[in-house]
């Protein structure tokens, strides 16, 4: 039964037309045990950079891609692809969710692999799903997920902190989004002088001040300042993020300075890319960290009100 069902699918594939452009949104797929061939193992980690050469003019038809779509999660299927005795397929991630029953005909799934469909998938080449953002490459089916996880054209998430904003897009789109929807302050120039005020700083726990965006050197940078708990100690942290990829961020440096009463604290570092979430940067303590008692000392007066002035500058490394 396995061979007849599998061969039936392959025979149908031979007569399918070729389409001009489309993609599968397979970002949630789990990749396990690809077929033994020369294709790339998509289970490799993103950090293992292997150059992929785009191959133009080879695109799978929509009918083929529909055959590779799981009927339960609607994501692209990767080995092992399972099938029932009637030839209906399902991805390995969804098989336990349907309690070993085919979602199409309700027959028992068993442990039948659809090897023919797996081999067909290995022969396909598909465009990157970020083609609308500018990526023109076409990649082997089993390399596509790896490429998309590190594609330079993949959209950025909104860098605004203090809300769970789900907006994503390219940098010009996000800049307008921050200005129009989040009412973020926009400044031009590579130096800044900001004052953060709180009448009762002892009530501040995990507070986030308004994000500020700076435009300089033809790029955009986000200045964050917030209060959070470092262990049992309440602290403030200020840090800068670069609106672009990490490789570009390393071309810039910045410094932050805070002081008062004849004392000062200085931090110098490299801005983190907004590819890293705001929380990830904060929790790595990659910025100027000021304990609350020191922040109140810098504020002057009776040390009951936070009046903290943070100055800084951004420069491009030669």
């Amino acid at each position: 039964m396995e061979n007849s069902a599998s061969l039936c699918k392959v025979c149908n594939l031979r007569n399918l037309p070729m389409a001009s452009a489309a993609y599968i949104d397979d970002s949630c797929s789990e990749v396990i045990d690809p077929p033994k061939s020369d294709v790339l193992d998509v289970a490799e980690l993103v950090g293992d950079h292997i150059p992929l050469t785009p191959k133009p003019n080879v695109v799978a038809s929509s009918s083929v891609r529909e055959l590779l779509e799981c009927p339960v999660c609607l994501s692209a299927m990767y080995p092992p692809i399972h099938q029932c005795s009637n030839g209906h397929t399902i991805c390995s991630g969804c098989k336990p969710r349907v309690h070993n029953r085919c979602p199409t005909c309700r027959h028992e799934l068993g442990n039948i692999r659809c090897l023919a469909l797996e081999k067909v998938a290995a022969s396909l080449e598909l465009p990157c799903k970020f083609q609308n953002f500018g990526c023109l490459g076409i990649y082997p089916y089993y390399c596509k997920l790896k490429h998309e996880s590190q594609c330079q054209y993949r959209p950025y998430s909104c860098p605004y902190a203090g809300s769970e904003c789900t907006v994503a897009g390219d940098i010009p789109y996000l800049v307008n989004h921050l200005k129009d929807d989040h009412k973020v302050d926009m400044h031009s120039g590579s130096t800044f002088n900001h004052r953060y005020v709180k009448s009762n700083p002892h009530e501040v726990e995990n507070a986030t001040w308004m994000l500020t965006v700076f435009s300089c050197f033809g790029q955009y940078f986000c200045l964050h300042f917030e209060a959070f708990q470092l262990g049992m100690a309440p602290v403030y942290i200020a840090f800068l993020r670069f609106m672009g990829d990490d490789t570009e961020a390393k071309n810039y440096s910045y410094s932050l300075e805070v002081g008062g009463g004849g004392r000062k604290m200085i931090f110098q570092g490299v801005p983190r890319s907004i590819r890293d979430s705001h929380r990830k940067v904060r929790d790595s303590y990659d910025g100027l960290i000021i304990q609350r008692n020191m922040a109140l000392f810098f504020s002057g007066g009776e040390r009951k009100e936070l009046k903290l002035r943070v100055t800084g500058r951004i420069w491009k490394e030669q």
Side-chain angles (χ1 to χ4, degrees):
M1 293 297 292
E2 175 185 357
N3 292 335
S4 61
S6 301
L7 289 173
C8 181
K9 283 201 169 190
V10 175
C11 291
N12 290 334
L13 291 173
R14 290 174 179 167
N15 300 317
L16 290 173
M18 299 299 288
S20 58
Y23 65 80
I24 303 172
D25 187 357
D26 43 23
S27 57
C28 297
S29 300
E30 179 182 3
V31 183
I32 304 172
D33 188 25
K36 305 300 182 183
S37 67
D38 294 332
V39 300
L40 177 67
D41 185 352
V42 289
E44 293 175 354
L45 296 177
V46 174
D48 185 14
H49 295 282
I50 296 178
L52 299 175
T53 304
K55 300 180 181 180
N57 303 323
V58 185
V59 183
S61 72
S62 58
S63 299
V64 175
R65 290 183 285 104
E66 286 174 5
L67 288 174
L68 288 164
E69 184 179 274
C70 174
V72 178
C73 66
L74 305 182
S75 297
M77 294 186 291
Y78 291 87
I81 299 175
H82 297 278
Q83 69 175 28
C84 72
S85 57
N86 289 326
H88 303 127
T89 55
I90 188 172
C91 75
S92 59
C94 290
K95 184 171 180 274
R97 296 169 55 190
V98 298
H99 306 291
N100 206 36
R101 290 285 176 183
C102 174
T104 304
C105 66
R106 309 306 298 169
H107 281 202
E108 185 174 352
L109 285 170
N111 292 308
I112 307 173
R113 287 274 293 273
C114 188
L115 298 178
L117 191 57
E118 291 179 8
K119 290 179 180 178
V120 168
S123 69
L124 299 181
E125 292 175 323
L126 298 170
C128 173
K129 72 176 181 179
F130 301 125
Q131 58 183 349
N132 290 338
F133 290 92
C135 184
L136 302 179
I138 295 177
Y139 300 91
Y141 188 84
Y142 292 120
C143 298
K144 182 170 174 283
L145 277 182
K146 181 178 177 63
H147 161 74
E148 289 171 351
S149 69
Q150 57 193 20
C151 177
Q152 63 175 326
Y153 294 99
R154 68 192 190 278
Y156 297 88
S157 298
C158 173
Y160 190 80
S163 67
E164 297 299 326
C165 184
T166 59
V167 169
D170 58 19
I171 299 303
Y173 177 82
L174 287 182
V175 169
N176 289 328
H177 165 69
L178 290 170
K179 180 172 58 177
D180 298 336
D181 299 330
H182 292 298
K183 311 301 180 186
V184 167
D185 290 335
M186 299 285 177
H187 294 274
S188 296
S190 58
T191 60
F192 47 89
N193 188 335
H194 275 243
R195 195 180 188 204
Y196 300 96
V197 178
K198 186 69 176 178
S199 58
N200 189 351
H202 294 282
E203 294 180 355
V204 177
E205 301 294 343
N206 296 318
T208 301
W209 271 258
M210 183 64 73
L211 175 71
T212 306
V213 174
F214 297 93
S215 172
C216 56
F217 307 108
Q219 307 288 348
Y220 292 93
F221 301 82
C222 300
L223 177 64
H224 296 265
F225 182 82
E226 65 178 270
F228 73 108
Q229 290 288 132
L230 180 55
M232 298 298 293
V235 299
Y236 300 95
I237 185 171
F239 57 88
L240 199 71
R241 287 203 290 167
F242 174 74
M243 295 188 70
D245 280 332
D246 184 62
T247 52
E248 294 180 84
K250 292 176 181 177
N251 295 325
Y252 301 89
S253 295
Y254 74 101
S255 64
L256 298 172
E257 181 178 316
V258 62
R263 296 172 177 81
K264 68 171 62 175
M265 296 176 64
I266 300 175
F267 173 84
Q268 181 174 320
V270 176
R272 296 279 286 272
S273 166
I274 59 172
R275 294 286 189 204
D276 290 335
S277 69
H278 153 266
R279 183 179 295 274
K280 180 178 180 179
V281 179
R282 186 198 70 184
D283 291 348
S284 66
Y285 316 130
D286 191 2
L288 176 64
I289 297 178
I290 314 156
Q291 292 187 346
R292 185 161 63 188
N293 59 352
M294 184 60 72
L296 292 175
F297 173 81
F298 290 149
S299 300
E302 298 180 359
R303 305 184 186 181
K304 294 182 180 180
E305 184 178 26
L306 181 70
K307 294 180 180 179
L308 200 61
R309 187 176 299 278
V310 178
T311 61
R313 72 183 184 97
I314 307 165
W315 65 92
K316 188 172 184 179
E317 297 290 350
Q318 299 300 323

